[in-house]
Amino acid sequence: MNVIGSRQRMPKRARYPLFLCGLAVLILGGLAANAEKVPTDEFAGIALLGFAFLVLSVVFK
């Protein structure tokens, strides 16, 4: 039995808000950036930040 990998690194209570925060950054940040006509590199930065939150919520499972 593998005891090392069986322990959760982050509880579900912390993962779900992190996932929802990333999703909100992607959706709301994308809509706001589109409405404000920001340059492409800033739009990509917003998308990267939201994606990072999503990945962190999954990686620390």
Side-chain angles (χ1 to χ4, degrees), residues 1-8:
M1 186 159 107
N2 188 2
V3 178
I4 295 172
S6 64
R7 187 169 170 218
Q8 286 186 346

Side-chain angles (χ1 to χ4, degrees), residues 34-52:
N34 193 25
E36 293 294 323
K37 307 288 190 230
V38 298
T40 306
D41 56 344
E42 290 180 22
F43 193 79
I46 293 170
L48 184 65
L49 181 66
F51 187 70

Side-chain angles (χ1 to χ4, degrees), residues 1-60:
M1 186 159 107
N2 188 2
V3 178
I4 295 172
S6 64
R7 187 169 170 218
Q8 286 186 346
R9 294 183 187 133
M10 184 182 294
K12 283 186 179 181
R13 306 187 290 225
R15 282 195 322 249
Y16 290 138
L18 190 61
F19 180 82
L20 290 176
C21 180
L23 193 61
V25 167
L26 278 174
I27 294 172
L28 299 175
L31 289 173
N34 193 25
E36 293 294 323
K37 307 288 190 230
V38 298
T40 306
D41 56 344
E42 290 180 22
F43 193 79
I46 293 170
L48 184 65
L49 181 66
F51 187 70
F53 278 122
L54 290 177
V55 168
L56 284 176
S57 72
V58 173
V59 167
F60 290 127

